[in-house]
Amino acid sequence: MTASTLTLPRQSRSGDLRLLWLGTALLALCLLSIAALSLGARATGWADIWGALTSYDPNNADHIVVRNMRLPRLIGAGLAGAALGMSGALIQAMTRNPLADPGLLGINGGAALGVVLCILVLGVTDPAEFIWVALGGGLAASVLVFLLGGGSQANPLRLILAGAAVSALFLALTRALLLVSRQTLDVYRFWVLGGFDGILPATLQSLLPFLILGALLAIIAGFGLNALMLGEDTAKGLGVRTGFTRLIAGAAIVLLCGATVAMAGPIAFAGLIVPHIARWAAGPAIGWSLAFSAVFGALLLIAADLLGRLALFGGNMQAGVMTALIGGPVLIWLVRRNGVRKL
């Protein structure tokens, strides 16, 4: 087996150890969420946070900051992180490639092209209005990749090649359009960094059904992916419908990643690094890997968004930039610790 092929970790975690890891991660998520509601340009005490959540006063400035600004941002970062973590775990299991991430299906490229066309043709400049064109572009690109990769009979290699080709094509078209319009470039460059500035409760409400459906499909696909990770012939020998499993997994990836890109723009590294950490903590079972990836992904994105708001980084660093700053060293540490063959 080549170094670029996903191998199953040899060790299998016990149920008690998995629950201990998961409980610790959930506790860390709660503490980090409180910090995200408290810290920022205007520090807020616990009493004001509790008051904003339980007895909101529209005339209280602290309540307004917590309820209308930090809470939607926190929920958005948590949902986006969980979605990217789960979609990353799915695509690495489906392609059996440890370097695969959700952008491999062309979702980021399709969303970017949709946003650029929206700015250039329709003159839209408010990022809040990019949601549906980004989601539509990502969905269209992923469907094209899936069809070019062989549909329900797609194999990992064809899927990867189709994804790389479609992503390169859409990226080239996006750059060509940006070259002819300086105004489009000025608007686009803030969206492409990926972040949660100005996210609204209505945005979360609109995209929540896509995320819920994607998560449900991911759980269903997980039953077949456990066998598929052992190889195509083995999976078929165990009675798994491999084409159906890939179709469900692909639909889950598209919904989860497409909704995230529509919400916050393309956020790099989260879908790549989080599944590696999840497998290190949970072992090879895809069901546990999905659960851990969701929690670890939420932790990463909330931490990235919080760090970007601190004075150390100027107070307005985008979460997409912070995930790369955090994820890069973590991936290097994992590779040096375990070696590429054990990722």
Side-chain angles (χ1 to χ4, degrees), residues 12-21 281-282 288:
S12 179
R13 305 288 186 190
S14 69
D16 290 343
L17 187 57
R18 285 166 172 159
L19 291 176
L20 178 62
W21 271 110
W288 283 101

Side-chain angles (χ1 to χ4, degrees), residues 121-310:
V121 177
L122 303 178
V124 175
T125 57
D126 185 356
E129 299 180 28
F130 295 158
I131 295 174
W132 299 113
V133 291
L135 182 60
L139 291 175
S142 56
V143 169
L144 180 59
V145 169
F146 200 66
L147 292 175
L148 292 174
S152 61
Q153 302 303 316
N155 64 54
L157 182 58
R158 287 187 61 179
L159 206 57
I160 290 171
L161 291 175
V166 171
S167 296
L169 173 63
F170 282 14
L171 182 60
L173 290 173
T174 300
R175 287 176 175 172
L177 292 173
L178 290 174
L179 284 175
V180 301
S181 173
R182 177 61 183 270
Q183 183 181 1
T184 302
L185 174 62
D186 289 340
V187 178
Y188 171 77
R189 63 180 179 171
F190 290 104
W191 175 83
V192 78
L193 290 176
F196 303 96
D197 293 337
I199 192 166
L200 301 172
T203 304
L204 298 174
Q205 200 170 20
S206 300
L207 295 175
L208 192 58
F210 295 94
L211 295 170
I212 293 174
L213 180 58
L216 291 175
L217 291 177
I219 294 170
I220 295 172
F223 292 105
L225 285 175
N226 270 327
L228 200 57
M229 290 172 67
L230 299 174
E232 185 86 15
D233 294 336
T234 303
K236 289 180 178 177
L238 292 172
V240 173
R241 297 165 59 190
T242 56
F244 177 76
T245 298
R246 287 197 180 97
L247 187 64
I248 296 297
I253 293 167
V254 169
L255 288 170
L256 291 170
C257 190
T260 301
V261 174
M263 180 198 308
I267 295 178
F269 244 98
L272 172 63
I273 187 67
V274 167
H276 290 286
I277 303 173
R279 283 194 296 273
W280 174 74
I286 188 67
W288 283 101
S289 180
L290 285 172
F292 274 76
S293 293
V295 177
F296 287 168
L299 273 171
L300 175 61
L301 263 292
I302 292 173
D305 185 55
L306 178 59
L307 286 173
R309 284 191 277 139
L310 299 181

Side-chain angles (χ1 to χ4, degrees), residues 19-90:
L19 291 176
L20 178 62
W21 271 110
L22 195 57
T24 304
L26 288 172
L27 177 61
L29 185 60
C30 291
L31 296 175
L32 189 61
S33 298
I34 294 173
L37 291 176
S38 175
L39 300 178
R42 181 190 180 99
T44 306
W46 167 246
D48 287 321
I49 294 174
W50 182 253
L53 297 177
T54 58
S55 55
Y56 177 66
D57 179 2
N59 297 315
N60 186 315
D62 287 324
H63 286 198
I64 294 173
V65 169
V66 171
R67 188 70 170 264
N68 297 342
M69 298 174 66
R70 293 180 185 167
L71 184 60
R73 192 166 178 155
L74 168 67
I75 295 173
L79 289 175
L84 288 175
M86 293 181 74
S87 57
L90 283 176

